[in-house]
Amino acid sequence: MVKAQARYPNILVQPVSFFLFFVSAAAEIKRIPFDLPEAENELVAGYHTEYSGMRFGLFFLGEYISLIVLGSW
């Protein structure tokens, strides 16, 4: 991968692919505008009421691990 990008970065060679990956990664980690489960106008979200304490922390730990893995690509 490094040798393939020695001359030109892949973002310049395939901008459509980068855009598709960026949008799908944002949808996967539930960030704006794909954050429908965490709508701000709702008082209570589904998993906020179901999980509390350590379960809630582990739930968000999984979310942030997903964010780090997708960001590392």
Side-chain angles (χ1 to χ4, degrees):
M1 200 62 174
V2 174
K3 287 182 181 179
Q5 296 187 66
R7 181 170 240 173
Y8 300 109
N10 282 343
I11 191 171
L12 298 177
V13 177
Q14 298 178 340
V16 175
S17 298
F18 172 74
F19 178 74
L20 287 175
F21 176 78
F22 184 76
V23 169
S24 63
E28 178 65 28
I29 58 176
K30 299 175 187 76
R31 296 295 181 232
I32 296 174
F34 304 103
D35 61 344
L36 292 179
E38 298 179 20
E40 292 181 11
N41 57 356
E42 297 176 359
L43 294 176
V44 179
Y47 59 85
H48 289 183
T49 59
E50 297 293 325
Y51 301 117
S52 64
M54 185 60 77
R55 283 191 244 165
F56 184 74
L58 290 173
F59 181 80
F60 263 89
L61 180 67
E63 290 281 327
Y64 283 114
I65 287 173
S66 172
L67 179 110
I68 290 169
V69 168
L70 286 172
S72 67
W73 285 92

